[in-house]
Amino acid sequence: VKILLQLTYLNNTNYPAEAKSYVEQALKLAQKLKITNLEGDVLFALGNVYFQQGIYLKAAEEFYKSLAIAEKNNYTELIINNLNSLGLCFYYQKQYQQAENFFIKALEKSEKTTNKQFKGQIIGNLGMISGEQKKYEKEREYYQQSIQIYEKIKDSLGLSII
């Protein structure tokens, strides 16, 4: 299942049909073997396949399924990833209030982890929302917080995205 997931992510950007094929195989295998945590990871990957293609409603549907499994198994990292991804789905559909709600939930969850990248990314996403809502002072504050986090953990990729 993990190899199929890796193949999904390697092909997602340039070969979405292949990525979808790999992730569907991974889902069948995870379900057959009854590996619930991996099933949540696979559903998240399937959501990403749809997201990458701009099919946000279908992506959100898979993220919701993955989130339910993650919450049932108390899989914090996957919960945060799903909440953040749901926020992005709503952001790209210009449903900014819903997006903001998901980002805030993801941020609250990320406070309970040691992974500062989560926090930097989510705060940056809140900055995007603020900009779209023309709340420019709030946008600046969020981006400054995000930059400080990325600088503190020496994450140059995170800094380049902000």
Side-chain angles (χ1 to χ4, degrees):
V1 176
K2 288 185 179 185
I3 291 170
L4 290 166
L5 276 176
Q6 286 301 315
L7 288 169
T8 299
Y9 284 113
L10 288 172
N11 288 280
N12 197 19
T13 303
N14 296 321
Y15 306 101
E18 287 86 347
K20 188 173 180 208
S21 174
Y22 288 127
V23 77
E24 287 172 344
Q25 291 174 56
L27 183 58
K28 286 178 187 170
L29 189 56
Q31 289 171 336
K32 181 180 178 181
L33 298 173
K34 298 183 187 334
I35 307 172
T36 311
N37 269 356
L38 275 180
E39 186 178 343
D41 288 332
V42 173
L43 289 166
F44 179 75
L46 182 56
N48 278 318
V49 168
Y50 288 120
F51 183 87
Q52 194 70 27
Q53 295 174 56
I55 307 170
Y56 302 119
L57 290 176
K58 189 70 177 154
E61 184 180 314
E62 301 305 327
F63 292 141
Y64 277 119
K65 290 178 194 173
S66 178
L67 179 61
I69 291 171
E71 287 176 333
K72 182 179 177 186
N73 292 292
N74 214 15
Y75 187 178
T76 305
E77 182 176 313
L78 189 57
I79 292 169
I80 295 166
N81 279 328
N82 277 295
L83 291 170
N84 189 51
S85 294
L86 283 162
L88 289 169
C89 285
F90 286 106
Y91 171 81
Y92 286 111
Q93 293 177 84
K94 301 186 184 308
Q95 296 176 19
Y96 301 126
Q97 190 57 55
Q98 283 184 281
E100 184 177 28
N101 292 341
F102 279 108
F103 291 143
I104 289 169
K105 288 178 188 175
L107 183 60
E108 289 169 354
K109 280 281 185 191
S110 76
E111 298 286 352
K112 299 172 185 165
T113 72
T114 57
N115 187 331
K116 299 298 179 201
Q117 281 180 309
F118 279 145
K119 190 174 179 183
Q121 181 183 26
I122 297 162
I123 291 172
N125 290 343
L126 284 165
M128 290 187 327
I129 295 288
S130 297
E132 291 295 337
Q133 296 173 325
K134 301 189 183 340
K135 299 176 184 174
Y136 300 119
E137 183 61 30
K138 194 101 173 128
E139 176 188 30
R140 187 179 61 75
E141 289 172 20
Y142 280 132
Y143 282 140
Q144 284 179 334
Q145 287 177 38
S146 184
I147 288 168
Q148 288 173 352
I149 291 168
Y150 284 132
E151 285 176 341
K152 187 175 182 178
I153 62 174
K154 298 178 180 19
D155 183 345
S156 56
L157 178 60
L159 278 169
S160 71
I161 294 170
I162 294 292

